[in-house]
Amino acid sequence: MDVKHLLFIILGAVFVNNYVLQRFLGICPFLGVSKKLDQASGMSIAVVFVMLLATAVTWPIQHFLLDPNGMGYLQTIVFILVIAALVQLVEIVLKRYIPALYKSLGIYLPLITTNCAVLGVTVLNITEKYSFGESMANSFGSGLGFFLAMVLFAGIRARTENCEAPESFKGLPITLTAAAILAASFSGFAGVVETLFGA
Amino acid sequence: MIEKNQPSKLSTLTRGIIKENPVLVLVLGTCPTLATTTSVSTAIGMGIAATIVLICSNIFISLLRKIIPDSVRIPCYIVVIAGFVSVVQMLVQAFVPPLYDALGVYLPLIVVNCIILGRAEMFASKNSVADSALDGVGMGLGFIVTLLVMSTIREVFGAGAFAGISLPFFSEFNIPILTQPAGGFFVFGVMIAAVAKITHGKVKHSATGCANCPSAAACGKIGKEA
């Protein structure tokens, strides 16, 4: 497994299969917490962190515990429990040992349990049959893609909040229309990464 | 919060369809709505699967509402919901394998569908078993109807077909972008605007705030002013 291959997975996850804009995972925080730039980036950093950690734990569970014992059907229930427990654990550890980091990330952590992007990335790593290294690369790329989409959209929203929209389009509809344009621009990345790596 | 006068059984059932439509008014469950409405058949499959989970978990959580301690209620709800999702997942895999493949990762993701956790937290944990079941049916119907309308728009105009059957006029003049992610966001936005227009702002959708987010209590409502 070479670096080029991992970079291919990361860039693919950031641009081509962006979790928010192309796969529709994690739309709730994308719409809910993208009003201010600092909140958007705080939330995204917490997501990247939990995604990596969740993958590091769920991948071995699936391959060394569930699969050999023929309990693959428990995947959903085990994964969500692992993520929920992990989020709690991270919260406690951060609070105890790194209070500064807890102050900036802590409030976003409970929200992440019900963020479908995190459960999505752990399940997709298994269904895509990624190796452990590839899974970690994919999780990192997916988290980075989430970060990119959130930060970009926080900037866009600062503008749409102040614009004169038709009465019934005010609020969420105009926000979604802006998201549509952002998603359309991301569609332009399809094929770029493949060409870049000559794959 | 004090419960106002108890709504009738009928309104418990019907308000999910328009007045408190889970997707268009409460703005819950946006991820599966956007992701599975590229074709009518996957949208209906997702709607029915989520509705079954919603009804079962509402009944079960309502039954257990006096036993579950308040402080650990969210993890308990998630376990109940995840259990039912696994059951539905296995049933779909066994009896409708094409749908299982089409829904892919979105089937296990019903666990984190905010409609289900939201109704558990907002309704089933406070109301009787019968009311919770009715609420599940109503909200589920609202979800299915919304998915059906949205997928019809996207499939007919985007792919020129309905439930996989090619339509004479539309298949020649289709707008492919509607089946792409960008079209999903756009159609969703227009539908919310249309509901706002039809109801003349009588139905205040809670937009993107924390009002309906099941984890709002835990996170300190970071985005509350919506």
Side-chain angles (χ1 to χ4, degrees), chain A:
Chain A
M1 191 181 359
D2 52 333
V3 180
K4 201 173 151 190
H5 180 62
L6 290 183
L7 207 61
F8 175 68
I9 291 180
I10 293 177
L11 287 179
V14 174
F15 294 111
V16 184
N17 290 318
N18 188 291
Y19 265 43
V20 179
L21 297 168
Q22 302 295 321
R23 281 195 165 139
F24 300 123
L25 297 173
I27 299 288
C28 293
F30 177 63
L31 295 175
V33 202
S34 62
K35 277 207 148 175
K36 294 198 189 77
L37 189 61
D38 55 335
Q39 287 180 351
S41 52
M43 176 83 185
S44 317
I45 292 167
V47 166
V48 177
F49 187 57
V50 174
M51 268 184 175
L52 280 171
L53 215 58
T55 306
V57 176
T58 53
W59 196 91
I61 288 183
Q62 176 78 24
H63 287 272
F64 298 120
L65 196 68
L66 296 182
D67 279 349
N69 295 314
M71 296 194 296
Y73 60 90
L74 285 177
Q75 192 195 50
T76 311
I77 196 161
V78 169
F79 278 20
I80 188 74
L81 283 178
V82 166
I83 292 170
L86 213 59
V87 169
Q88 287 283 318
L89 198 71
V90 169
E91 210 183 336
I92 294 167
V93 170
L94 281 187
K95 206 175 189 172
R96 176 78 180 77
Y97 295 104
I98 325 173
L101 193 63
Y102 176 76
K103 249 187 193 151
S104 52
L105 292 189
I107 46 168
Y108 304 104
L109 285 172
L111 262 181
I112 290 174
T113 313
T114 50
N115 182 342
C116 44
V118 177
L119 184 62
V121 78
T122 56
V123 173
L124 275 171
N125 281 335
I126 307 297
T127 46
E128 299 275 330
K129 299 198 169 55
Y130 281 144
S131 72
F132 187 72
E134 289 170 327
S135 294
M136 292 306 280
N138 185 40
S139 303
F140 182 64
S142 306
L144 225 55
F146 184 81
F147 183 84
L148 181 68
M150 287 286 276
V151 170
L152 277 177
F153 201 55
I156 293 172
R157 274 191 87 168
R159 301 285 179 103
T160 56
E161 292 294 309
N162 297 325
C163 73
E164 279 286 323
E167 190 54 42
S168 42
F169 264 90
K170 278 203 175 117
L172 198 54
I174 195 75
T175 311
L176 283 164
T177 314
I181 298 169
L182 186 59
S185 63
F186 265 72
S187 300
F189 285 118
V192 169
V193 177
E194 282 85 344
T195 321
L196 209 65
F197 286 89

Side-chain angles (χ1 to χ4, degrees), chain B:
Chain B
M1 204 171 76
I2 304 151
E3 283 288 319
K4 276 178 273 176
N5 51 336
Q6 207 64 26
S8 72
K9 292 268 186 284
L10 188 69
S11 79
T12 307
L13 185 66
T14 55
R15 65 173 175 201
I17 295 168
I18 292 281
K19 220 177 100 205
E20 284 186 25
N21 186 297
V23 184
L24 298 175
V25 180
L26 302 180
V27 203
L28 296 171
T30 40
C31 307
T33 308
L34 290 166
T36 60
T37 49
T38 46
S39 80
V40 174
S41 39
T42 52
I44 293 179
M46 168 50 88
I48 293 174
T51 304
I52 294 171
V53 176
L54 178 59
I55 296 170
C56 294
S57 68
N58 256 9
I59 293 173
F60 207 73
I61 286 164
S62 179
L63 278 172
L64 294 176
R65 70 184 188 279
K66 298 212 172 79
I67 305 169
I68 296 175
D70 204 41
S71 51
V72 290
R73 64 184 195 285
I74 300 278
C76 292
Y77 299 160
I78 291 177
V79 175
V80 170
I81 295 165
F84 284 117
V85 169
S86 299
V87 171
V88 168
Q89 213 180 339
M90 287 158 89
L91 288 174
V92 173
Q93 192 175 16
F95 294 107
V96 216
L99 182 66
Y100 184 80
D101 295 331
L103 288 179
V105 72
Y106 298 102
L107 200 53
L109 286 182
I110 295 176
V111 177
V112 280
N113 184 328
C114 339
I115 296 178
I116 298 168
L117 193 59
R119 290 327 282 177
E121 168 83 350
M122 282 187 284
F123 198 90
S125 60
K126 298 177 194 120
N127 289 282
S128 72
V129 177
D131 280 343
S132 302
L134 279 178
D135 180 73
V137 175
M139 286 290 159
L141 274 178
F143 187 52
I144 293 176
V145 168
T146 315
L147 286 181
L148 187 61
V149 172
M150 195 166 150
S151 61
T152 307
I153 295 173
R154 286 182 73 185
E155 198 181 351
V156 169
F157 292 103
F162 183 79
I165 304 153
S166 182
L167 299 173
F169 173 76
F170 293 103
S171 54
E172 284 170 49
F173 302 100
N174 58 343
I175 314 163
I177 195 164
L178 285 184
T179 59
Q180 284 167 8
F185 281 113
F186 182 68
V187 174
F188 190 46
V190 172
M191 277 178 76
I192 293 178
V195 168
K197 183 83 188 161
I198 291 165
T199 54
H200 295 291
K202 264 181 262 165
V203 178
K204 258 280 177 258
H205 67 67
S206 42
T208 54
C210 283
N212 293 300
C213 174
S215 1
C219 75
K221 301 190 178 169
I222 17 178
K224 65 178 162 221
E225 25 76 60

